[in-house]
Amino acid sequence: MSPRLVFNLLLTGLVMLTGTSWAYATDLGVIGPTYEISEPHLLKMIEQRLREKERTGELKRLEEAAKARGVDAVTNPQPVAGIRTTQAARTFYMDPSFTLDRNILDAQGRLLFPAGTRKNPLEIVSLSKHLLFFDARDRRQVNRARELLATYQGKVKPILTGGSYLDLMKSWRIPVYYDQQGLLTRRFGIHQVPALVSQEGQRLRIDELEVTK
């Protein structure tokens, strides 16, 4: 973005914030003595600094650094906090039922489900694939994940808690997902990976699996 464009945007923003329309400005007269402004105009100062940064190449370096940070954030998301490699394997179960805290209405305002209704989503939709959580930075977990994909003939949805999902998608040529901000692992109560989530009847079975060397 050129300094001139930044200058124009800042100027437009100031006009919008003040709510003043130049076309309808009125002359209020002179209320008291006036003095020449001794300090440089803020926008002029910003424009001068941007021009200087552009001239020295600093502005381009800042833009490139921002792009690099953006790419890194996408290709290498922050690992999910509080998740560790399995130290002691365990199996536990989860009832995914939930209770509505408000009325659910249709488009015409008619009541579909009243507040207080308790429902298990597995009664309506089955879990079509196993959910496999693992950290792609750990070679052992990646190997275990590959074994499970073969065991379940691809009926596994890989979900990372760390590492690059883009690199893994290129290598495996299948969709790989990421547990953004640990929303799913917290929902399932997972603390160790690799972990496999499967459906058993109307509940979910969670296996935190051991890894071998």
Side-chain angles (χ1 to χ4, degrees):
M1 182 181 293
S2 69
R4 174 58 62 183
L5 179 56
V6 172
F7 172 78
N8 290 334
L9 289 174
L10 286 171
L11 192 57
T12 302
L14 286 175
V15 172
M16 293 175 65
L17 285 174
T18 57
T20 301
S21 172
W22 291 356
Y24 295 95
T26 59
D27 185 0
L28 299 178
V30 178
I31 298 175
T34 59
Y35 304 93
E36 184 179 354
I37 298 176
S38 58
E39 296 182 2
H41 195 285
L42 175 61
L43 294 177
K44 282 291 185 183
M45 184 173 62
I46 293 174
E47 183 183 17
Q48 289 170 2
R49 289 185 178 178
L50 286 172
R51 286 187 181 280
E52 178 63 20
K53 289 181 183 295
E54 186 177 45
R55 185 185 65 78
T56 61
E58 184 179 355
L59 189 60
K60 185 174 181 60
R61 289 194 296 270
L62 291 172
E63 290 175 350
E64 291 176 349
K67 288 179 183 178
R69 287 194 300 271
V71 171
D72 185 64
V74 172
T75 56
N76 295 291
Q78 285 291 321
V80 177
I83 302 295
R84 64 178 184 271
T85 302
T86 302
Q87 298 175 350
R90 68 168 181 151
T91 297
F92 58 97
Y93 293 86
M94 173 192 172
D95 179 358
S97 299
F98 62 93
T99 302
L100 294 176
D101 61 357
R102 69 194 69 182
N103 293 332
I104 303 298
L105 310 176
D106 65 11
Q108 285 72 43
R110 294 180 297 232
L111 181 65
L112 292 177
F113 302 101
T117 300
R118 184 170 175 80
K119 207 68 180 171
N120 187 335
L122 294 177
E123 297 174 2
I124 303 171
V125 180
S126 297
L127 193 65
S128 60
K129 291 185 177 182
H130 301 273
L131 307 180
L132 176 59
F133 296 85
F134 64 101
D135 190 335
R137 298 171 300 173
D138 185 342
R139 178 185 53 80
R140 300 171 304 162
Q141 294 190 42
V142 173
N143 291 339
R144 188 67 189 275
R146 190 183 294 111
E147 292 172 0
L148 290 168
L149 280 166
T151 299
Y152 293 106
Q153 299 179 340
K155 292 184 178 180
V156 175
K157 181 176 288 187
I159 306 172
L160 299 188
T161 58
S164 173
Y165 65 95
L166 289 176
D167 289 346
L168 209 54
M169 278 199 293
K170 291 177 183 177
S171 174
W172 288 2
R173 297 183 181 279
I174 62 171
V176 177
Y177 304 89
Y178 203 91
D179 185 15
Q180 294 287 347
Q181 301 176 346
L183 295 177
L184 292 176
T185 46
R186 284 199 304 273
R187 175 80 175 104
F188 294 132
I190 294 171
H191 300 291
Q192 303 178 113
V193 289
L196 188 69
V197 179
S198 312
Q199 180 177 350
E200 282 193 4
Q202 300 302 308
R203 61 180 183 170
L204 297 174
R205 170 174 170 160
I206 295 99
D207 294 289
E208 294 180 344
L209 307 168
E210 289 182 341
V211 290
T212 57
K213 294 183 180 180

